[in-house]
Amino acid sequence: MTPSLPPGVAHRAFAEIDSTNEEAKRLGEAGEAGPIWITAERQTAGRGRRGREWVSPSGNFMGTLFLRPQAGPRKAAELSFVAAVAVHDAVDGLLPPSLRPGLKLKWPNDLLHDGRKLAGILLESSGIAGGELAWLAIGIGINLAQYPDKVEFPATSLAALGIPNVTPAEALERLAAAFDRRLREWRDVQGFAAIREAWLARAGGLGETLIVRLADESFEGTFVGLAADGALEVRTPSGDMRQISAGDVFFRRASH
């Protein structure tokens, strides 16, 4: 199947590559304009947030959207949430109605099903030119056929959920269409406010206790919401409200 992509969006497919985000960097340095979806059947050096390895077996979706965001770093960071909502949209469309309620987003941009990680997102960017990011790479991995075990955060796959025949090409087609819709929404009058509302409507764990792990500390609190800029809002046991812009989140529930 050759995926049908939105008008003006290109696609580069590889049998094997170091990582699709690395290819996006190469495209950026070569002056490509984008937008371009880069996909691979296998990655030899896939990675997740904070340099973690991203297990990349054949049969899963591994791809990166390369684009010129026409925005400064703060505004472009909102695209992390655009991507998360788009991934939710795409995967939701692959699930039967009975499984859809279990699909939730975990801050900032992991997709979970019943508390187990189904997809992850990694944004990487270049330096600033004229106040705007030169380019942005939005790497997305979706566990279609397989999922890793012996990982810190439990994972799952569509196949494990009883949906065994989704191909990476089908996933790309749905994802590219969803991302195109959400990107237009982000660029419209409501901008990030609309994306924030959509993200919160799909968020897992609102009102629940979580552990926030930062570079220099960890603390517990209640997941209250999302700030106007996308920061995680957490109320500590002392009643203080903290806003977290970067860190790892773990829910205290046994299923997580």
Side-chain angles (χ1 to χ4, degrees):
M1 168 187 171
T2 300
S4 175
L5 301 184
V9 179
H11 178 211
R12 298 192 182 186
F14 296 85
E16 183 174 289
I17 199 170
D18 48 0
S19 87
T20 54
N21 267 29
E22 282 298 319
E23 179 64 13
K25 288 183 180 182
R26 291 188 282 266
L27 292 179
E29 291 166 0
E32 286 284 352
I36 301 171
W37 278 99
I38 306 155
T39 59
E41 294 176 26
R42 294 176 303 280
Q43 293 186 127
T44 59
R47 62 184 181 276
R49 293 178 64 239
R50 303 191 175 211
R52 300 184 184 98
E53 180 187 9
W54 181 268
V55 180
S56 307
S58 295
N60 286 353
F61 176 80
M62 293 159 271
T64 295
L65 176 60
F66 167 85
L67 49 75
R68 307 277 179 179
Q70 299 178 310
R74 185 179 296 273
K75 182 68 177 174
E78 298 171 358
L79 288 167
S80 171
F81 297 91
V82 175
V85 174
V87 171
H88 187 289
D89 289 348
V91 174
D92 185 76
L94 294 166
L95 298 179
S98 62
L99 291 179
R100 289 174 183 166
L103 200 63
K104 299 291 183 183
L105 293 173
K106 182 173 82 74
W107 186 88
N109 49 25
D110 283 343
L111 182 69
L112 312 181
H113 191 275
D114 285 345
R116 303 178 74 88
K117 187 168 178 175
L118 188 56
I121 299 168
L122 174 66
L123 271 68
E124 296 181 300
S125 61
S126 173
I128 300 172
E132 297 181 349
L133 287 182
W135 52 263
L136 183 69
I138 304 174
I140 298 170
I142 305 174
N143 296 332
L144 303 177
Q146 304 179 57
Y147 65 90
D149 56 9
K150 299 179 182 178
V151 288
E152 185 174 23
F153 199 94
T156 190
S157 67
L158 288 186
L161 296 176
I163 308 163
N165 298 316
V166 178
T167 65
E170 182 180 358
L172 173 61
E173 190 167 291
R174 287 179 176 271
L175 181 56
F179 202 101
D180 187 65
R181 288 194 304 271
R182 294 298 182 177
L183 194 60
R184 292 174 188 273
E185 186 176 19
W186 177 70
R187 287 178 170 153
D188 206 352
V189 177
Q190 294 295 320
F192 184 59
I195 296 298
R196 175 181 173 273
E197 183 178 343
W199 190 96
L200 282 169
R202 293 156 177 78
L206 272 170
E208 296 182 10
T209 300
L210 47 72
I211 299 169
V212 179
R213 185 184 299 165
L214 307 178
D216 56 354
E217 67 166 317
S218 295
F219 67 93
E220 280 192 18
T222 302
F223 176 21
V224 175
L226 202 62
D229 63 354
L232 181 73
E233 294 181 322
V234 180
R235 181 177 289 111
T236 67
S238 65
D240 294 334
M241 185 73 75
R242 295 187 63 173
Q243 292 191 356
I244 307 302
S245 297
D248 288 322
V249 170
F250 301 87
F251 290 103
R252 287 295 301 270
R253 290 177 295 177
S255 62
H256 291 208

